[in-house]
């Protein structure tokens, strides 16, 4: 029983770490996309 609990906790910790990494990469990608969109707007204002 103790071994099963340790296994469940280990799997939960790995899953949580995986989700944390996904959220972090997603946030970084979102910031990058917002920056690119802002640069595109600046380019349109300069050329227009």
């Amino acid at each position: 029983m103790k071994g099963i609990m340790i296994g469940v906790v280990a799997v939960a910790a790995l899953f949580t770490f995986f989700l944390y990494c996904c959220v972090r990469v997603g946030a970084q990608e979102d910031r990058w996309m917002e920056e690119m969109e802002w640069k595109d707007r600046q380019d349109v204002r300069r050329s227009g």
Side-chain angles (χ1 to χ4, degrees), residues 25-42:
V25 169
Q28 184 179 16
E29 186 74 17
D30 191 42
R31 284 192 298 270
W32 181 76
M33 291 295 286
E34 287 176 359
E35 183 180 322
M36 294 300 289
E37 184 178 321
W38 184 80
K39 285 181 181 179
D40 286 345
R41 283 193 217 138
Q42 294 299 320

Side-chain angles (χ1 to χ4, degrees), residues 4 6 12 15-16 21 30 32 34:
I4 293 173
I6 291 171
F15 185 68
T16 303
C21 290
D30 191 42
W32 181 76
E34 287 176 359

Side-chain angles (χ1 to χ4, degrees), residues 1-18:
M1 185 68 173
K2 200 176 201 182
I4 293 173
M5 289 299 290
I6 291 171
V8 168
V9 169
V11 169
L14 288 173
F15 185 68
T16 303
F17 180 71
F18 174 74

